[in-house]
Every structure is written in structure tokens, then in C-alpha cells.
Amino acid sequence: RLAREKIPASASAGGGPKIAEAILAQASSSGADLMAMTTHGRGAVMTLVMGSVAEALVRTSPIPLLARRPRAR
């Protein structure tokens, strides 16, 4: 849809123990002015135990983040 509307966008994937830092480094080095991602939609207890990449980015990123829960199936 973005290409059809002539909105430049790119996607990348990675992994590792510090994924939030890796995502932010990639976004910064590419000159991104917005990041968008889906979340797992875990509850508060699971997020506390497992952590949340989206939450870490919301708290630390100087680049705006659009986070959305996936649709229920």
C-alpha cells in the first residue's frame, strides 16, 4: 500500500539479546523519521517477566514509534 501511495518505506528483521538497541541503531543509521511495529499484546505480568521490545523503544527512542496490536483472529 505504501508503494502504491508513493510513500517511501523499508523493512528489516534481526535478532539478538538486545533487539531494541539493534532496531534503534538500524532506524538511526537509515535516517528513519518514523518506526512502525506490531506488538504481541501480552498482559502486564508477561511483559514484566519477558520484557517488551515495543515498550523499550517507546521509552528510549528519539524516533517516533507507531505500535499496534495485531487484529484478533
Side-chain angles (χ1 to χ4, degrees), residues 26-38:
Q26 174 66 29
S28 296
S29 69
S30 69
D33 54 6
L34 175 70
M35 295 185 292
M37 65 187 311
T38 60

Side-chain angles (χ1 to χ4, degrees), residues 11-30:
S12 77
K18 297 184 179 184
I19 189 66
E21 290 176 18
I23 291 170
L24 185 53
Q26 174 66 29
S28 296
S29 69
S30 69

Side-chain angles (χ1 to χ4, degrees), residues 14-68:
K18 297 184 179 184
I19 189 66
E21 290 176 18
I23 291 170
L24 185 53
Q26 174 66 29
S28 296
S29 69
S30 69
D33 54 6
L34 175 70
M35 295 185 292
M37 65 187 311
T38 60
T39 67
H40 287 291
R42 292 185 182 112
V45 173
M46 286 302 292
T47 298
L48 182 63
V49 171
M50 298 183 69
S52 166
V53 172
E55 182 179 353
L57 287 169
V58 165
R59 292 181 184 273
T60 63
S61 176
I63 302 168
L65 173 68
L66 173 65
R68 185 174 190 281

